[in-house]
Amino acid sequence: MKYEQLAQKIADLEAEAAIELVLQLVESGEEPAAILAACRKGMEGVGKRFESGEYFVADLMLSASSFQEIMQLLGPALSAGIRQMESKGKVVIATVKEDIHDIGKNLVIAMLSANGFEVIDLGVNVDPDVICKAVIREQPHILALSCLLTSTLDGIEATIAELAKQGLRDKVKVIVGGAPLTAKLAQQFGADAYGEDAYDAVPQCLALMEGV
Amino acid sequence: MVPKNRLLAERISRLRAAIRLKEHDKVPLVGNLGFWPVKYLNKYTMQEAFYNIDVMAESYEAVLARWSQWDALTTSVTSRAPLLDAVGSRRYVIPGRQISPYADYQHPDQSFMEADEYDQLIQNPAGFQAEVILPRVCARITKSSLYETIKAIAKVYTYTQQLQKKAGAYWESWAERYAISPLMRNVFLVPVDLIIDSFRGFNKGLVDIKLRPAKIVEASHALLDSLIHGGMAGLPAGQDFPVLYNPQHVSPFISPRDYDRVYWPFYKRMVDEFTGRGHTVWSVFEGVQDQHLERLQDLPAGKVVAHFEGTDLAKAKRYLSGKICIAGGMPNNILAKGTPEDVAEQVKAVMKLFADEPGFIMAADGGLNSAKPENIDAWMRALEQYGFLGGKLQVEEVAADVSPAGDEMPLQKESLITPWEQVRNEFGEIKGDEEIIGRAWEELEYSALGLLGMILRA
C-alpha cells in the first residue's frame, strides 16, 4: 500500500511528500530495492503523462531532481539493492564535439536511470575518438549521442563514421537526439534510433534492447 | 533597376505591411544570419570574428555580396568577446578560449543564485543584481578592487562606443549598397527568462517554477519595470521599425498552467506597454510552443510578430491568422543537411499554407550557424517562384511613424533609476534653478540604462 502511495506521489510530482514517505519506509526497515522499484513505477507514471501532453519538461526536471534526491537518501544501502535488480541495459552517453550543452543529455540520463538503465556519462564536447575508446572500454549495449546546435550535427555524423572506421558500428546500437535532429536526419546519419524528446529515449532504448 | 533607396523603402514597407496584416506583393524574407557568415567566408576562425568586428563585418559583406535579397537582417553585427573578457565574464563559452577556435559561441547552463536568495532579489532587484550576481558572474567586477572595477566598466564603455560607431557605419553602407536594414533595435526579456537564463540557471530555474512559483511571480513583479524601460531605452515613442526583439527560452518547457502563472501576465503587460507606445514586438518562440498558441491570440493585433522555431505552423495559422503576423518556415537543419530539392519543397509547402495570408514573414527557424550555400541559392530561387502573393505594395517613406499619442505616456520611475528627489538632499543648497539639475540628472540616469543592462547581463 505504502509503495503504491509512493509511486503515486512521484507520478503526481508531490516531491516533498514522496521524500517524506521514503524516509518513513527507510526508518521502518523496508528493502531499498523495493523502495527503488516503487520510485521507478512512479517515474513511469511521469513518463506516461509527459507522453500524453499533460506534463512538460519542467515537470520532468522536477521529477528527475526528486528522484535523484531519493537516490541520495537511500544512499549506500541502495547499491546492494540495485545489484539485486536486473539492469535494463548499459548506455554510454555524450554531447558531441564542439557542443557544451548538457541539459537535454542530463535529463535523458535521469530518465534512463530512473527506468532501470545503467548510464555512463562521458560529458560534453566529446571527441569521436574518445567516444570510440569508451565503447571499447565499457562495451555498452547502446551509445546515446546528443547535440543542441545545428553546426554540431556534424559531430553526430563524425562520431557514427568514426565508430564504423574503428570497426565498432555493429558492436553497439546508436540512438541520437537533440533540438536540430529529426528522425530523417537520424536515419541519414546511420543511427539505429532517434529520441524525439528527453522521455522518448526510454521507450526507444527499451526497443533497441529487444534487438540486442 | 530600382534605385537602392527606393528598394529599401519597399522592403521596409513590405515588412510593415506583413506585420500590420495588410495587403502587399510578396512574402518578406528576413535573414537571421547569426554567425554563419564567418563559416561561409571560410577565411577566419570564429575566434577571430568574436574578437574583431571588422572580421565579422567582412564575413557579412561576403554574404550580402552574393545574396542581397533579404528584406532585413536580425543579427546585430557585433564582436562581444573583448567586452566579456574586460569584465571577466564566466557566463559564456567563447570560441578559441574554452572551446575550439572554429566552434560556436555557447551559453552553458550555470547557476549564479541560490534558491533562498529570491527574497533579496524581490526586495532590491537592482542592488541584488549589481552587488550579488554581478561579482559572481564577472571576475573583474569585484568588491576587493575598486580600481579593477572602474577600469572594467571604462573598458566596456569604450569598447561599446567603438563597436556602435563601426557597426553603424557598416549598416549605413549596407543600406546604401544593398538596400538592407537591421530588423531589430533593442532586445528585451520576459522577467522569468532573465531569472532563469541569467541568475538561477535552466535546470534549477525550471524546478523553481514547480516548487516556488510564488517567489518567481514576486521576483518577476520586482524586475518588470526595469525590463520595460530597458526595452525602450533610447527609442523615440512611435517608432515601429526596427522592432523590439524578444527571444523566449523558458516558455516551451512549461505547461499552460505554469505559463499562465509565471509567464503570460508579464509578457502580455510588456507587449501592451511597448505596442501602446507605438513600437513593434518581434517575439522568437523557441522550441515547440503549440501549447501556448491559444493565449497568443490575445496579443494586440497587427503589432506583434510571432517567430516560431518548432511550433506547428499550420496550427499557429489556425489560431493567429488575421491577428498576429507569423514568421519562420525554414528549418536550419534543412539548410545545413538537406538538399536544394528539400529546400524548394519546404518553401513550396510553407507558401501553400500561407498563400492567402498577408501576415507571414519567411525566416530560418533560428539564427543560422550552418548552411550549405547551394541551399541558400535554392531558398532564394524557390521564394522567387512561390513567394508572390498577388497584392499591391503601398510604399511608405523610410522614416518611422511617430505617433503623437506615444509621447504622452510618461516613463514611470523604476528600480534601476535613482530619482532626483532621492539624491536632492545630497546637493545641499541650490542657488540657481533646481529643475535644470534634476532634469539633467534623470535624463542621464535613463540614458545609462542600456549600458547598465549590458553590464548586468555580461
Side-chain angles (χ1 to χ4, degrees):
Chain A
M1 188 63 188
K2 279 198 167 176
Y3 290 129
E4 277 169 26
Q5 261 183 23
L6 174 59
Q8 193 60 44
K9 294 217 177 297
I10 288 177
D12 289 345
L13 303 178
E14 291 181 36
E16 281 180 22
I19 288 163
E20 184 63 32
L21 201 49
V22 167
L23 285 172
Q24 284 174 21
L25 290 168
V26 170
E27 273 175 26
S28 59
E30 300 284 341
E31 279 296 316
I35 299 174
L36 177 63
C39 292
R40 284 185 172 163
K41 198 172 166 215
M43 290 300 282
E44 273 175 34
V46 170
K48 279 183 189 147
R49 293 195 198 179
F50 181 78
E51 281 181 323
S52 75
E54 183 186 343
Y55 284 172
F56 288 80
V57 169
D59 305 287
L60 283 192
M61 291 273 196
L62 174 62
S63 72
S65 124
S66 42
F67 185 82
Q68 277 157 4
E69 206 174 317
I70 291 171
M71 293 302 100
Q72 279 169 4
L73 282 178
L74 294 177
L78 190 65
S79 53
I82 280 181
R83 276 199 295 276
Q84 288 165 23
M85 300 180 79
E86 196 186 339
S87 161
K88 297 218 172 106
K90 187 174 183 180
V91 180
V92 162
I93 191 166
T95 302
V96 297
K97 190 179 175 183
E98 296 192 350
D99 197 324
I100 53 83
H101 296 95
D102 61 1
I103 295 167
K105 171 184 70 69
N106 291 347
L107 198 49
V108 167
I109 293 172
M111 290 299 127
L112 288 174
S113 306
N115 283 278
F117 283 88
E118 181 192 353
V119 188
I120 313 281
D121 181 13
L122 302 182
V124 299
N125 186 20
V126 188
D127 196 84
D129 190 50
V130 173
I131 294 174
C132 287
K133 285 196 173 85
V135 167
I136 296 166
R137 185 178 67 242
E138 302 290 346
Q139 300 191 344
H141 301 103
I142 297 167
L143 171 64
L145 300 174
S146 161
C147 75
L148 181 78
L149 304 170
T150 313
S151 56
T152 52
L153 284 170
D154 292 344
I156 301 262
E157 230 178 342
T159 305
I160 297 176
E162 188 63 27
L163 283 172
K165 193 177 146 200
Q166 298 198 19
L168 298 168
R169 185 61 192 87
D170 58 351
K171 306 263 188 293
V172 66
K173 298 284 183 191
V174 177
I175 180 170
V176 297
L181 278 150
T182 59
K184 191 180 166 195
L185 280 174
Q187 197 179 21
Q188 190 178 319
F189 296 161
D192 300 299
Y194 161 63
E196 193 181 357
D197 52 54
Y199 188 76
D200 191 38
V202 175
Q204 294 295 338
C205 284
L206 287 172
L208 285 178
M209 287 307 293
E210 282 173 17
V212 169
Chain B
M1 196 164 161
V2 186
K4 288 290 188 274
N5 58 353
R6 168 75 187 178
L7 187 56
L8 184 68
E10 276 181 21
R11 286 172 165 176
I12 294 175
S13 302
R14 186 172 296 121
L15 283 162
R16 278 182 164 145
I19 293 164
R20 294 170 185 166
L21 318 169
K22 304 280 188 218
E23 178 190 311
H24 58 283
D25 54 349
K26 59 179 183 176
V27 170
L29 174 67
V30 159
N32 35 348
L33 303 182
F35 308 117
W36 171 71
V38 182
K39 293 179 189 171
Y40 166 71
L41 180 60
N42 198 23
K43 181 175 168 187
Y44 303 103
T45 63
M46 202 55 87
Q47 179 183 10
E48 286 172 290
F50 269 88
Y51 278 88
N52 185 346
I53 189 175
D54 296 325
V55 167
M56 193 71 92
E58 188 183 331
S59 309
Y60 265 71
E61 175 75 38
V63 169
L64 294 180
R66 178 159 167 185
W67 300 283
S68 61
Q69 294 95 322
W70 323 97
D71 288 290
L73 298 183
T74 64
T75 310
S76 50
V77 175
T78 181
S79 298
R80 291 185 73 201
L83 186 152
L84 297 171
D85 289 346
V87 294
S89 176
R90 303 176 175 103
R91 204 186 284 287
Y92 303 98
V93 165
I94 297 170
R97 278 196 49 197
Q98 304 96 324
I99 200 161
S100 147
Y102 297 94
D104 284 303
Y105 161 80
Q106 299 174 47
H107 186 181
D109 185 33
Q110 296 177 86
S111 180
F112 295 103
M113 174 186 159
E114 298 301 322
D116 60 7
E117 290 178 323
Y118 273 102
D119 286 337
Q120 288 182 62
L121 170 62
I122 292 160
Q123 280 152 20
N124 181 6
F128 181 73
Q129 288 178 76
E131 310 274 349
V132 181
I133 299 285
L134 200 57
R136 287 178 188 166
V137 177
C138 299
R140 309 198 77 81
I141 307 267
T142 164
K143 287 180 181 167
S144 64
S145 170
L146 197 52
Y147 175 65
E148 283 299 329
T149 303
I150 292 169
K151 196 165 63 167
I153 291 168
K155 283 163 78 180
V156 169
Y157 178 76
T158 309
Y159 189 68
T160 308
Q161 297 290 308
Q162 289 169 0
L163 274 188
Q164 279 175 354
K165 198 173 161 199
K166 281 197 171 185
Y170 285 123
W171 279 113
E172 214 169 282
S173 151
W174 294 333
E176 211 175 289
R177 290 182 299 127
Y178 301 114
I180 283 177
S181 68
L183 179 85
M184 62 197 223
R185 171 70 189 261
N186 288 1
V187 178
F188 75 90
L189 290 179
V190 176
V192 70
D193 276 317
L194 175 68
I195 293 167
I196 289 183
D197 264 4
S198 300
F199 308 156
R200 277 292 278 157
F202 189 81
N203 211 331
K204 291 177 178 171
L206 282 190
V207 171
D208 287 348
I209 288 177
K210 304 302 301 181
L211 290 182
R212 39 189 80 86
K215 294 289 177 201
I216 297 258
V217 168
E218 274 187 79
S220 295
H221 278 297
L223 290 162
L224 189 61
D225 280 348
S226 65
L227 291 175
I228 289 173
H229 287 287
M232 297 191 297
L235 284 186
Q239 187 184 78
D240 68 337
F241 191 91
V243 302
L244 297 184
Y245 201 70
N246 163 234
Q248 302 197 350
H249 308 300
V250 168
S251 40
F253 304 108
I254 60 178
S255 66
R257 188 165 168 262
D258 291 331
Y259 185 76
D260 278 352
R261 188 157 44 183
V262 302
Y263 208 98
W264 171 253
F266 301 97
Y267 173 49
K268 175 72 165 51
R269 162 85 198 283
M270 295 180 95
V271 170
D272 286 345
E273 289 277 355
F274 295 141
T275 57
R277 203 166 174 263
H279 306 306
T280 305
V281 170
W282 181 296
S283 287
V284 181
F285 294 88
E286 294 185 356
V288 176
Q289 304 215 21
D290 295 27
Q291 72 270 29
H292 305 314
L293 286 171
E294 202 180 333
R295 271 281 165 274
L296 303 186
Q297 296 179 105
D298 296 333
L299 292 169
K303 294 172 177 176
V304 179
V305 179
H307 186 166
F308 292 113
E309 188 180 19
T311 299
D312 180 340
L313 288 184
K315 207 183 274 182
K317 189 190 167 196
R318 278 204 300 280
Y319 280 101
L320 304 179
S321 177
K323 295 167 187 154
I324 303 296
C325 175
I326 292 170
M330 179 51 71
N332 259 309
N333 53 15
I334 294 185
L335 293 174
K337 295 290 173 188
T339 62
E341 292 72 34
D342 294 334
V343 172
E345 277 305 309
Q346 176 67 19
V347 173
K348 195 174 163 188
V350 167
M351 286 319 303
K352 195 174 164 197
L353 182 62
F354 290 100
D356 56 348
E357 182 63 67
F360 177 66
I361 294 169
M362 188 137 204
D365 57 358
L368 265 63
N369 54 18
S370 238
K372 294 178 194 163
E374 63 268 31
N375 285 348
I376 304 285
D377 280 336
W379 189 8
M380 302 297 169
R381 274 198 310 270
L383 263 183
E384 281 295 310
Q385 192 176 346
Y386 304 112
F388 284 88
L389 300 170
K392 188 171 171 0
L393 176 70
Q394 298 282 341
V395 180
E396 302 172 35
E397 291 297 314
V398 170
D401 288 348
V402 175
S403 145
D407 284 322
E408 290 167 14
M409 180 182 289
L411 286 170
Q412 300 295 315
K413 286 177 183 161
E414 45 82 23
S415 60
L416 289 182
I417 297 293
T418 308
W420 167 244
E421 52 267 33
Q422 195 177 314
V423 290
R424 166 66 188 84
N425 288 342
E426 293 170 28
F427 282 66
E429 187 194 350
I430 289 172
K431 298 196 186 296
D433 188 343
E434 180 182 323
E435 204 195 323
I436 293 174
I437 305 169
R439 195 170 54 236
W441 173 270
E442 290 201 346
E443 275 174 10
L444 201 49
E445 282 275 334
Y446 279 110
S447 62
L449 270 183
L451 185 65
L452 184 60
M454 189 181 294
I455 293 169
L456 290 175
R457 307 289 113 75

